[in-house]
Every structure is written in structure tokens, then in C-alpha cells.
């Protein structure tokens, strides 16, 4: 299991993995509120990359990655995610995933 | 594994997060899937039919698993 420290590297490598093998690649998240830890994992059953954090600020980044994957996985590997301007808030969320943000921000002892 | 519509899925997912505040984990997995078996997919390929893919979302708290499909 390779833990990647740079968020941008993690995002780039996970999109790469998905585009190379959309049938096998899956994106998993594990959240433990009691420890305040979130671990993201992207694997195609051959290679595996992970990202872990306990920072509330990473919740926003995770939300963006979620949306990237929703688009890619629903539309296919040719799904155009760049034109959706994912660095601003002008993204139309395909599905309200607000529970994630809610649970991160509530009771986080920062 | 319970397959739900999007809104009930989100409700149940919220409940899972609420239940595991003091103890426990929640796993959420996303996968590019056609929601068809290997046999069906191979048949569709040989007939030249286009396979439609969706995004399969699964969530579990270690005890119960729920899932939904997004287009």
C-alpha cells in the first residue's frame, strides 16, 4: 500500500489509473469519526495508492475528487472533467454528498 | 446488500455516519460498472450491443451494506 503525501499527485495518479483500466479501478474511502481519520484508496487490483488525512480542510479536496470520480465513472473514461472547472464552486454536483462535509466539520476539535 | 434509490441511500448513509460518531468506521466505494454479469456483458459484446455504464456507490458500516447506482 503506497501512501502518497501530495494531494495533487494522488489525484493525478488516480485519474491515470482509472483511465488506463476503467473496468477494474475502484475508489474507496474509509472514515472514522472517533479518530478523525479519513483514508482514500484507488486501486485497479494491480497497483494501489492511498491518501490519509485527519485535517478538516482536506474535506473540500476530497469532495472535489469525489465529483471527478462520479463524472468519470458515470460517463466513462473519456468523461471531460477539465471543462467542469473543478477549482471553483461552479460545479453542478451530480448527487448531494453533503453528509461527508457535515460529519467532518461537526465536532472536529481544531 | 440492499440496493436503494438515491434519496433513501443518502438518508441511510447519513444515518450510518451519525451512528458511528463515537465508535466504528464507514466505508464508501465508487466503481464504474454496467451492473451486468460477465456472461451478459460478453453476450452484449458479441452482438455488438452498446453497454451502458453507471457509477455504482456502495456504503457499509461493517455490519450493513447499502448501494445505489448513478447515471
Amino acid at each position: 500500500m503506497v501512501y502518497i503525501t501530495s494531494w495533487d499527485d494522488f489525484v493525478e495518479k488516480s485519474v491515470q489509473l482509472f483511465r488506463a483500466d476503467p473496468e477494474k479501478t475502484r475508489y474507496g474511502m474509509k472514515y472514522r469519526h472517533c479518530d478523525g481519520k479519513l483514508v482514500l484508496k484507488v486501486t485497479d487490483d494491480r497497483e494501489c495508492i492511498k491518501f490519509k488525512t485527519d485535517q478538516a480542510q482536506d474535506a473540500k479536496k476530497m469532495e472535489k475528487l469525489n465529483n471527478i470520480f462520479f463524472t468519470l465513472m458515470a460517463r466513462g473514461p473519456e468523461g471531460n472533467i477539465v471543462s467542469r472547472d473543478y477549482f471553483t464552486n461552479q460545479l453542478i454536483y451530480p448527487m448531494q454528498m453533503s453528509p461527508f462535509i457535515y460529519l467532518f466539520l461537526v465536532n472536529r476539535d481544531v | 446488500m440492499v440496493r436503494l434509490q438515491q434519496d433513501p441511500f443518502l438518508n441511510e448513509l447519513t444515518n450510518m455516519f451519525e451512528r458511528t460518531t463515537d465508535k466504528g468506521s464507514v466505508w464508501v466505494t465508487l466503481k464504474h460498472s454496467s451492473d451486468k454479469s460477465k456472461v451478459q456483458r460478453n453476450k452484449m459484446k458479441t452482438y455488438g450491443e452498446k453497454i451502458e455504464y453507471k457509477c455504482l456507490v456502495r456504503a457499509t458500516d461493517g455490519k450493513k451494506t447499502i448501494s445505489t447506482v448513478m447515471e
Side-chain angles (χ1 to χ4, degrees):
Chain A
M1 302 289 157
V2 185
Y3 277 101
I4 299 199
T5 27
S6 150
W7 174 257
D8 293 323
D9 282 348
F10 179 75
V11 174
E12 207 186 300
K13 187 88 183 73
S14 34
V15 174
Q16 236 175 47
L17 269 180
F18 178 76
R19 290 210 152 114
D21 198 348
E23 291 280 318
K24 286 235 185 102
T25 309
R26 64 183 188 274
Y27 165 57
M29 296 164 257
K30 172 176 164 179
Y31 179 62
R32 281 180 65 80
H33 188 86
C34 48
D35 299 333
K37 292 231 166 77
L38 173 74
V39 180
L40 308 176
K41 168 160 131 176
V42 179
T43 177
D44 61 356
D45 294 333
R46 258 170 298 173
E47 269 182 75
C48 176
I49 46 168
K50 283 178 138 182
F51 182 86
K52 75 172 152 194
T53 181
D54 54 0
Q55 304 296 313
Q57 70 217 35
D58 287 338
K60 253 212 175 149
K61 296 184 188 161
M62 178 211 78
E63 177 98 349
K64 287 178 182 148
L65 184 61
N66 287 347
N67 282 297
I68 292 175
F69 272 116
F70 279 134
T71 317
L72 282 177
M73 290 179 171
R75 310 261 162 86
E78 290 90 43
N80 204 344
I81 50 175
V82 179
S83 67
R84 290 168 63 93
D85 215 12
Y86 61 83
F87 286 121
T88 69
N89 282 332
Q90 274 147 359
L91 191 66
I92 302 156
Y93 290 85
M95 189 168 150
Q96 277 302 326
M97 292 300 277
S98 45
F100 284 116
I101 301 285
Y102 163 74
L103 283 138
F104 263 107
L105 300 177
V106 163
N107 290 337
R108 285 298 305 135
D109 305 324
V110 172
Chain B
M1 167 99 65
V2 186
R3 175 66 62 93
L4 301 167
Q5 291 296 307
Q6 289 191 23
D7 285 323
F9 176 81
L10 277 169
N11 289 335
E12 189 52 41
L13 179 62
T14 315
N15 292 339
M16 272 189 191
F17 275 115
E18 282 166 1
R19 269 181 274 135
T20 56
T21 322
D22 293 320
K23 191 165 98 154
S25 326
V26 178
W27 285 263
V28 180
T29 313
L30 265 60
K31 192 176 165 120
H32 172 68
S33 162
S34 59
D35 211 13
K36 300 211 174 341
S37 69
K38 185 103 192 186
V39 176
Q40 271 181 305
R41 271 182 283 139
N42 284 340
K43 278 212 184 116
M44 286 171 96
K45 257 191 234 167
T46 50
Y47 290 134
E49 273 180 51
K50 177 137 204 291
I51 305 176
E52 262 181 40
Y53 284 98
K54 312 185 181 130
C55 181
L56 176 69
V57 189
R58 273 181 291 221
T60 180
D61 59 357
K63 305 224 166 73
K64 193 172 121 129
T65 312
I66 50 173
S67 65
T68 190
V69 175
M70 274 169 55
E71 333 243 321

